[in-house]
Amino acid sequence: MNRLPCNLSPAWLALQAHFDTTAKNFDLREAFAADPARFDTFSQDAPHVFADFSKNLIDSATQILLFELAQQRGVEAQRDQMFAGKKINRSEDRAAMHFLLRNPAAALTQNAQAATKNIADELTAVHHTLDAMLAYAEQVRLDDGITDIVNIGIGGSDLGPQMAVLALEEYRLAGKRLHFVSNVDGQELAGVLARLKPHNTLFLIASKTFTTTETMANASSAKNWFEAKGGTDIARHFAALTTNVAAANAFGISTTFGFWDWVGGRYSLWSAIGLPLAIAIGAPGFRDLLAGAHAMDEHFRSAPLAQNLPVRLGLLDVWYRNFHGFTSRSIAPYSSALRRWPAYLQQLEMESNGKRVDENGQTLTFATAPVLWGEPGTNGQHAYFQMLHQGTDVVPVEFVAVRKTGHSLPGHHRKLLSNVLAQALALMQGKEDAGGHKHFPGNRPSTFLLLEELTPAGLGALIALQEHRVFVSGAIWGINSFDQWGVELGKVLARDIESRLQSGDLAGLDGSTAGLLQRLR
């Protein structure tokens, strides 16, 4: 595709003029005082998620210009291409059809029906694998001999299922402990193995190619431990989530579940990579997760731009990154169950949109993905919120709250909700009647995402919302949100350095790397 760079489009230039003349001096306190209905105007419902944008540095004029930007950048057309199964991941010549993994078998979307027979064929294959994977999950759930499940993967093969298992702890089957090992640092695997017995443990090796360096090192060590401790039935105690069946079989694994080249790692939770979650919450729970995500897919596919929650979030991200110049966003889930949510979003957004070239490989002249970071509330309040309130940088905050809790401890949830509401208010309101150390400038923006309950369906919708939001900002910027070439260089160099650590060969290395290598041998 050859398109005008986004920063040269008429809507972008109009936004810049609007920012320079008016919006850069926008004050939230004045906006609320002038418009009693601001909350109603800048909030909306979507499947399972309510969003309040009213504490953001936007007004109606800004929103209108942002929607014009989305139209001029062809966001709707690019969205429709994705849902039609087109190869929108052009640098790898692949489609990005992760949405198909949560599409009901009996209800192809109109886009899919109008597309090629290939979509229907892929969906048939998706549900064949899903049914087999969920049947296996139920088999493990009924096996009283298996008490511990260890997922060995990294990146999307770890972050997604780990985040979701923790988030849905309330739905987890008692008697099954889930462990996640990703780091090649042997201390992590050794710490997990020390708590296990081989005859009670199931290992899930999650690697699309069955060649991922960290994953295969951990898998080999787990197999060696299993055999050294008297384990004898590799086929019963190991399963693989991979497309490389031959390599898995050579490893001794006969139970495998595959997925497709159009499933990117950071979008793979919905595939066989979700097996640990399916074991934890059961087949009905996993299907509810898929249903919640599908509901958000349909919202994104069909809602007008002005009422489309992923579009509104993606446009807000562009507004903050490129016009206000905000370099990061803090993620603050006020739910201990969502404690891995910030880490999950880091990969989803920063790996997708952390790009310096456009879809044609041309260097960009504007900024793309912000840095995402955060911790669960209320812990974050006693750590980094000082900087959010009184630091020199303005950092937009994205709060996530859950109205109904699953625990029965009296008073705790009311205190938690009081804190999240208070933090959003304090960031906006500030404190003007004090000087020096006790002055809070206020006018600091935040978005508030609210779930009624943290159910499988609600979590599925929340994740899909974020996936589509990332797609929108990437479509505006004209980048490929579905490749990740930036992770490859370090992998290649690591293989060379590993051999040098063994041999001591320093030839061709820079002084720093050579000096460090000598000290580390």
Side-chain angles (χ1 to χ4, degrees):
M1 291 180 66
N2 288 298
R3 295 189 291 159
L4 192 71
C6 67
N7 60 331
L8 298 181
S9 64
W12 185 287
L13 298 176
L15 277 163
Q16 188 63 62
H18 171 64
F19 178 81
D20 291 340
T21 58
T22 305
K24 68 180 179 182
N25 297 317
F26 185 86
D27 191 287
L28 282 165
R29 294 154 295 198
E30 294 175 2
F32 274 98
D35 182 9
R38 181 174 170 83
F39 173 76
D40 296 325
T41 302
F42 294 100
S43 63
Q44 79 161 89
D45 273 302
H48 301 282
V49 182
F50 175 82
D52 173 21
F53 293 96
S54 63
K55 292 190 182 74
N56 281 291
L57 306 177
I58 53 174
D59 57 15
S60 295
T62 303
Q63 281 213 138
I64 289 170
L65 288 170
L66 286 169
F67 293 140
E68 289 179 5
L69 178 65
Q71 290 174 332
Q72 291 178 14
R73 298 298 294 166
V75 169
E76 292 164 297
Q78 292 181 72
R79 173 200 64 193
D80 293 346
Q81 284 186 332
M82 180 180 73
F83 280 106
K86 303 298 183 183
K87 292 183 177 180
I88 61 172
N89 178 356
R90 293 178 180 85
S91 73
E92 297 178 313
D93 194 33
R94 294 175 181 172
M97 296 196 293
H98 45 280
F99 64 89
L100 208 60
L101 297 168
R102 56 247 190 170
N103 205 321
L108 278 168
T109 65
Q110 289 181 348
N111 263 36
Q113 288 174 331
T116 64
K117 181 177 180 294
N118 181 56
I119 289 277
D121 292 342
E122 293 283 16
L123 186 60
T124 299
V126 162
H127 280 275
H128 177 77
T129 300
L130 175 64
D131 292 344
M133 186 266 281
L134 293 181
Y136 180 74
E138 291 301 312
Q139 176 186 322
V140 174
R141 284 167 63 87
L142 291 171
D143 188 342
D144 293 335
I146 299 296
T147 59
D148 292 88
I149 298 93
V150 182
N151 187 81
I152 297 178
I154 199 166
S157 298
D158 169 77
L159 284 166
Q162 183 183 171
M163 177 276 294
V165 165
L166 291 171
L168 298 175
E169 172 71 18
E170 180 186 346
Y171 296 84
R172 184 177 61 81
L173 178 68
K176 304 292 184 186
R177 292 182 290 270
L178 276 293
H179 312 272
F180 291 86
V181 173
S182 58
N183 202 320
V184 75
D185 184 348
Q187 198 161 30
E188 183 173 67
L189 177 62
V192 170
L193 294 178
R195 306 193 297 271
L196 305 180
K197 297 178 180 178
H199 58 279
N200 296 129
T201 302
L202 170 66
F203 292 95
L204 305 177
I205 313 303
S207 172
K208 190 178 202 176
T209 61
F210 219 71
T211 59
T212 308
T213 301
E214 298 92 339
T215 299
M216 297 319 301
N218 283 325
S220 296
S221 294
K223 181 182 177 183
N224 293 338
W225 170 87
F226 179 80
E227 293 175 331
K229 293 291 185 179
T232 57
D233 191 351
I234 295 288
R236 178 172 183 262
H237 291 274
F238 284 77
L241 316 176
T242 184
T243 57
N244 193 345
V245 175
N249 289 343
F251 190 89
I253 295 174
S254 57
T255 300
T256 62
F257 302 97
F259 41 107
W260 300 266
D261 66 358
W262 43 259
V263 182
R266 54 193 176 278
Y267 302 93
S268 62
L269 170 64
W270 323 101
S271 71
I273 293 297
L275 177 57
L277 177 62
I279 294 172
I281 66 175
F286 195 83
R287 291 189 186 276
D288 284 347
L289 178 91
L290 300 180
H294 177 66
M296 188 61 73
D297 292 341
E298 290 299 285
H299 168 77
F300 177 52
R301 189 182 65 81
S302 61
L305 292 179
Q307 289 85 46
N308 195 307
L309 186 53
V311 170
R312 295 180 76 181
L313 281 168
L315 290 172
L316 180 66
D317 295 339
V318 171
W319 176 238
Y320 281 161
R321 187 71 180 99
N322 298 112
F323 297 91
H324 283 274
F326 300 150
T327 58
S328 76
R329 181 167 74 252
S330 180
I331 309 299
Y334 273 66
S335 166
S336 179
L338 288 171
R339 55 191 174 276
R340 292 293 286 168
W341 183 242
Y344 177 77
L345 292 186
Q346 282 177 337
Q347 186 197 21
L348 176 62
E349 186 158 345
M350 294 166 70
E351 190 169 270
S352 295
N353 287 348
K355 311 288 171 62
R356 59 179 293 278
V357 298
D358 66 14
E359 57 202 346
N360 299 312
Q362 300 301 309
T363 302
L364 298 172
T365 58
F366 49 84
T368 56
V371 175
L372 268 63
W373 55 282
E375 279 288 320
T378 56
N379 294 23
Q381 294 175 202
H382 296 267
Y384 64 83
F385 270 52
Q386 163 64 40
M387 190 195 82
L388 297 180
H389 287 291
Q390 292 185 306
T392 56
D393 291 321
V394 175
V395 179
V397 181
E398 189 158 290
F399 294 102
V400 183
V402 182
R403 195 176 80 83
K404 295 181 182 177
T405 184
H407 66 75
S408 58
L409 296 175
H412 282 256
H413 199 56
R414 185 174 62 252
K415 292 182 187 299
L416 182 71
L417 295 179
S418 297
N419 272 275
V420 66
L421 290 171
Q423 290 299 321
L425 175 60
L427 285 167
M428 177 191 75
Q429 185 172 280
K431 189 175 181 181
E432 297 287 353
D433 60 350
H437 300 292
K438 295 183 179 181
H439 173 72
F440 291 70
N443 201 39
R444 302 209 161 181
S446 66
T447 301
F448 203 104
L449 301 180
L450 178 63
L451 301 179
E452 183 70 12
E453 296 181 79
L454 190 52
T455 62
L459 180 64
L462 183 65
I463 298 170
L465 168 65
Q466 300 293 334
E467 290 178 350
H468 297 320
R469 166 213 203 134
V470 168
F471 173 88
V472 168
S473 54
I476 296 289
W477 289 322
I479 61 180
N480 182 356
S481 297
F482 298 104
D483 62 11
Q484 55 281 327
W485 297 106
V487 305
E488 299 300 322
L489 179 59
K491 292 181 181 179
V492 173
L493 293 176
R495 288 193 289 271
D496 174 63
I497 289 175
E498 184 177 0
S499 66
R500 291 171 180 270
L501 277 168
Q502 187 170 10
S503 67
D505 178 17
L506 304 179
L509 293 178
D510 65 273
S512 171
T513 305
L516 290 170
L517 192 148
Q518 283 184 302
R519 283 183 169 272
L520 289 168
R521 289 193 72 220

Short mmCIF file of all heavy atoms in Angstrom, two decimals, residues 207-238:
data_model
loop_
_atom_site.label_atom_id
_atom_site.label_comp_id
_atom_site.label_asym_id
_atom_site.label_seq_id
_atom_site.Cartn_x
_atom_site.Cartn_y
_atom_site.Cartn_z
N SER A 207 5.37 -23.92 22.12
CA SER A 207 6.27 -23.30 21.14
C SER A 207 5.76 -23.64 19.76
O SER A 207 5.70 -24.82 19.39
CB SER A 207 7.70 -23.81 21.31
OG SER A 207 8.52 -23.36 20.25
N LYS A 208 5.39 -22.64 19.01
CA LYS A 208 4.82 -22.86 17.68
C LYS A 208 5.74 -23.72 16.82
O LYS A 208 5.30 -24.66 16.16
CB LYS A 208 4.55 -21.51 17.03
CG LYS A 208 3.75 -21.56 15.76
CD LYS A 208 3.54 -20.14 15.25
CE LYS A 208 2.35 -20.04 14.33
NZ LYS A 208 2.10 -18.65 13.93
N THR A 209 7.02 -23.38 16.83
CA THR A 209 7.99 -24.09 15.98
C THR A 209 8.69 -25.23 16.70
O THR A 209 9.38 -26.02 16.06
CB THR A 209 9.07 -23.11 15.49
OG1 THR A 209 9.76 -22.59 16.64
CG2 THR A 209 8.45 -21.97 14.71
N PHE A 210 8.51 -25.30 18.00
CA PHE A 210 9.22 -26.26 18.86
C PHE A 210 10.73 -26.06 18.75
O PHE A 210 11.52 -26.99 18.89
CB PHE A 210 8.84 -27.71 18.53
CG PHE A 210 8.72 -28.58 19.76
CD1 PHE A 210 7.66 -28.42 20.63
CD2 PHE A 210 9.66 -29.57 20.04
CE1 PHE A 210 7.54 -29.22 21.77
CE2 PHE A 210 9.54 -30.37 21.18
CZ PHE A 210 8.48 -30.19 22.04
N THR A 211 11.13 -24.81 18.52
CA THR A 211 12.56 -24.47 18.44
C THR A 211 12.91 -23.25 19.28
O THR A 211 14.09 -22.88 19.34
CB THR A 211 12.98 -24.19 16.98
OG1 THR A 211 12.21 -23.11 16.48
CG2 THR A 211 12.78 -25.42 16.10
N THR A 212 11.93 -22.60 19.92
CA THR A 212 12.20 -21.38 20.70
C THR A 212 13.28 -21.68 21.75
O THR A 212 13.12 -22.60 22.57
CB THR A 212 10.92 -20.89 21.39
OG1 THR A 212 9.89 -20.77 20.42
CG2 THR A 212 11.17 -19.54 22.05
N THR A 213 14.36 -20.92 21.73
CA THR A 213 15.54 -21.24 22.53
C THR A 213 15.22 -21.41 24.01
O THR A 213 15.57 -22.44 24.63
CB THR A 213 16.61 -20.15 22.35
OG1 THR A 213 16.96 -20.06 20.97
CG2 THR A 213 17.85 -20.46 23.17
N GLU A 214 14.59 -20.41 24.60
CA GLU A 214 14.31 -20.45 26.04
C GLU A 214 13.37 -21.62 26.39
O GLU A 214 13.58 -22.35 27.37
CB GLU A 214 13.70 -19.13 26.51
CG GLU A 214 14.58 -17.93 26.31
CD GLU A 214 14.36 -17.21 25.00
OE1 GLU A 214 13.83 -17.85 24.06
OE2 GLU A 214 14.73 -16.04 24.91
N THR A 215 12.33 -21.77 25.57
CA THR A 215 11.33 -22.80 25.85
C THR A 215 11.93 -24.19 25.74
O THR A 215 11.68 -25.06 26.59
CB THR A 215 10.14 -22.65 24.88
OG1 THR A 215 9.56 -21.36 25.07
CG2 THR A 215 9.10 -23.73 25.12
N MET A 216 12.72 -24.43 24.70
CA MET A 216 13.28 -25.78 24.52
C MET A 216 14.36 -26.09 25.56
O MET A 216 14.52 -27.25 25.97
CB MET A 216 13.82 -25.93 23.10
CG MET A 216 12.74 -25.81 22.02
SD MET A 216 11.17 -26.65 22.42
CE MET A 216 11.71 -28.34 22.63
N ALA A 217 15.08 -25.06 26.01
CA ALA A 217 16.05 -25.31 27.09
C ALA A 217 15.33 -25.72 28.36
O ALA A 217 15.73 -26.68 29.05
CB ALA A 217 16.87 -24.05 27.34
N ASN A 218 14.24 -25.02 28.68
CA ASN A 218 13.45 -25.37 29.87
C ASN A 218 12.77 -26.72 29.70
O ASN A 218 12.68 -27.50 30.66
CB ASN A 218 12.42 -24.28 30.15
CG ASN A 218 13.02 -23.05 30.79
OD1 ASN A 218 13.95 -23.16 31.59
ND2 ASN A 218 12.51 -21.88 30.45
N ALA A 219 12.26 -27.01 28.50
CA ALA A 219 11.59 -28.29 28.26
C ALA A 219 12.57 -29.45 28.42
O ALA A 219 12.23 -30.48 29.02
CB ALA A 219 10.98 -28.30 26.86
N SER A 220 13.76 -29.29 27.88
CA SER A 220 14.77 -30.36 28.00
C SER A 220 15.15 -30.60 29.46
O SER A 220 15.28 -31.75 29.91
CB SER A 220 16.01 -30.02 27.18
OG SER A 220 15.70 -29.97 25.81
N SER A 221 15.32 -29.52 30.21
CA SER A 221 15.67 -29.67 31.63
C SER A 221 14.52 -30.30 32.41
O SER A 221 14.74 -31.10 33.32
CB SER A 221 16.03 -28.31 32.22
OG SER A 221 17.22 -27.81 31.64
N ALA A 222 13.28 -29.94 32.06
CA ALA A 222 12.12 -30.54 32.72
C ALA A 222 12.04 -32.02 32.43
O ALA A 222 11.75 -32.85 33.32
CB ALA A 222 10.84 -29.84 32.26
N LYS A 223 12.32 -32.40 31.20
CA LYS A 223 12.31 -33.83 30.83
C LYS A 223 13.42 -34.58 31.57
O LYS A 223 13.20 -35.68 32.09
CB LYS A 223 12.49 -33.96 29.33
CG LYS A 223 12.47 -35.40 28.83
CD LYS A 223 12.70 -35.46 27.32
CE LYS A 223 12.76 -36.89 26.82
NZ LYS A 223 13.04 -36.95 25.37
N ASN A 224 14.62 -33.98 31.64
CA ASN A 224 15.72 -34.62 32.37
C ASN A 224 15.37 -34.80 33.85
O ASN A 224 15.65 -35.85 34.45
CB ASN A 224 17.00 -33.79 32.24
CG ASN A 224 17.52 -33.79 30.81
OD1 ASN A 224 17.21 -34.67 30.02
ND2 ASN A 224 18.33 -32.79 30.48
N TRP A 225 14.77 -33.77 34.45
CA TRP A 225 14.34 -33.86 35.85
C TRP A 225 13.31 -34.97 36.02
O TRP A 225 13.38 -35.77 36.96
CB TRP A 225 13.75 -32.53 36.29
CG TRP A 225 13.06 -32.56 37.63
CD1 TRP A 225 13.63 -32.37 38.85
CD2 TRP A 225 11.66 -32.80 37.86
NE1 TRP A 225 12.68 -32.49 39.84
CE2 TRP A 225 11.46 -32.75 39.26
CE3 TRP A 225 10.58 -33.06 37.03
CZ2 TRP A 225 10.21 -32.96 39.84
CZ3 TRP A 225 9.33 -33.26 37.61
CH2 TRP A 225 9.15 -33.21 39.00
N PHE A 226 12.34 -35.01 35.11
CA PHE A 226 11.27 -36.00 35.18
C PHE A 226 11.84 -37.43 35.17
O PHE A 226 11.46 -38.28 35.99
CB PHE A 226 10.32 -35.80 34.00
CG PHE A 226 9.18 -36.77 33.92
CD1 PHE A 226 8.06 -36.60 34.71
CD2 PHE A 226 9.23 -37.86 33.05
CE1 PHE A 226 6.99 -37.50 34.64
CE2 PHE A 226 8.20 -38.76 32.96
CZ PHE A 226 7.06 -38.58 33.77
N GLU A 227 12.76 -37.67 34.27
CA GLU A 227 13.34 -39.02 34.16
C GLU A 227 14.26 -39.32 35.32
O GLU A 227 14.28 -40.45 35.85
CB GLU A 227 14.07 -39.15 32.82
CG GLU A 227 13.13 -39.11 31.62
CD GLU A 227 13.85 -39.12 30.29
OE1 GLU A 227 15.00 -38.63 30.22
OE2 GLU A 227 13.26 -39.61 29.32
N ALA A 228 15.01 -38.32 35.80
CA ALA A 228 15.92 -38.54 36.92
C ALA A 228 15.17 -38.84 38.21
O ALA A 228 15.69 -39.54 39.09
CB ALA A 228 16.81 -37.31 37.11
N LYS A 229 13.96 -38.31 38.33
CA LYS A 229 13.14 -38.53 39.52
C LYS A 229 12.26 -39.77 39.41
O LYS A 229 11.41 -40.02 40.26
CB LYS A 229 12.25 -37.31 39.77
CG LYS A 229 13.00 -36.05 40.17
CD LYS A 229 13.60 -36.18 41.56
CE LYS A 229 14.25 -34.88 42.00
NZ LYS A 229 14.82 -34.99 43.38
N GLY A 230 12.49 -40.58 38.36
CA GLY A 230 11.75 -41.84 38.23
C GLY A 230 10.54 -41.79 37.33
O GLY A 230 9.81 -42.77 37.22
N GLY A 231 10.29 -40.66 36.66
CA GLY A 231 9.17 -40.58 35.73
C GLY A 231 9.42 -41.47 34.53
O GLY A 231 10.54 -41.54 34.01
N THR A 232 8.40 -42.16 34.08
CA THR A 232 8.60 -43.14 33.00
C THR A 232 7.66 -42.97 31.82
O THR A 232 7.87 -43.59 30.78
CB THR A 232 8.41 -44.57 33.55
OG1 THR A 232 7.11 -44.68 34.15
CG2 THR A 232 9.47 -44.91 34.58
N ASP A 233 6.61 -42.18 31.95
CA ASP A 233 5.61 -42.10 30.89
C ASP A 233 5.58 -40.67 30.33
O ASP A 233 4.73 -39.87 30.68
CB ASP A 233 4.23 -42.50 31.43
CG ASP A 233 3.21 -42.70 30.34
OD1 ASP A 233 3.51 -42.36 29.18
OD2 ASP A 233 2.09 -43.18 30.64
N ILE A 234 6.53 -40.39 29.42
CA ILE A 234 6.60 -39.06 28.82
C ILE A 234 5.29 -38.71 28.12
O ILE A 234 4.78 -37.59 28.22
CB ILE A 234 7.77 -38.97 27.82
CG1 ILE A 234 9.12 -39.13 28.54
CG2 ILE A 234 7.73 -37.65 27.04
CD1 ILE A 234 9.52 -37.96 29.38
N ALA A 235 4.72 -39.66 27.43
CA ALA A 235 3.51 -39.41 26.64
C ALA A 235 2.35 -38.95 27.52
O ALA A 235 1.52 -38.15 27.09
CB ALA A 235 3.11 -40.66 25.87
N ARG A 236 2.27 -39.44 28.76
CA ARG A 236 1.17 -39.05 29.65
C ARG A 236 1.46 -37.73 30.34
O ARG A 236 0.53 -36.96 30.63
CB ARG A 236 0.93 -40.12 30.70
CG ARG A 236 -0.18 -39.75 31.70
CD ARG A 236 -0.54 -40.90 32.62
NE ARG A 236 -1.64 -40.51 33.50
CZ ARG A 236 -1.50 -40.09 34.76
NH1 ARG A 236 -0.30 -40.03 35.30
NH2 ARG A 236 -2.56 -39.75 35.48
N HIS A 237 2.70 -37.44 30.60
CA HIS A 237 3.05 -36.29 31.44
C HIS A 237 3.56 -35.09 30.65
O HIS A 237 3.90 -34.07 31.26
CB HIS A 237 4.09 -36.71 32.48
CG HIS A 237 3.54 -37.63 33.52
ND1 HIS A 237 2.91 -37.18 34.65
CD2 HIS A 237 3.51 -38.99 33.58
CE1 HIS A 237 2.52 -38.21 35.38
NE2 HIS A 237 2.86 -39.32 34.76
N PHE A 238 3.60 -35.18 29.33
CA PHE A 238 4.01 -34.06 28.50
C PHE A 238 3.04 -33.90 27.33
O PHE A 238 2.65 -34.90 26.71
CB PHE A 238 5.43 -34.27 27.93
CG PHE A 238 6.54 -34.04 28.91
CD1 PHE A 238 6.83 -35.00 29.88
CD2 PHE A 238 7.30 -32.88 28.88
CE1 PHE A 238 7.85 -34.81 30.79
CE2 PHE A 238 8.33 -32.68 29.79
CZ PHE A 238 8.61 -33.64 30.75
#
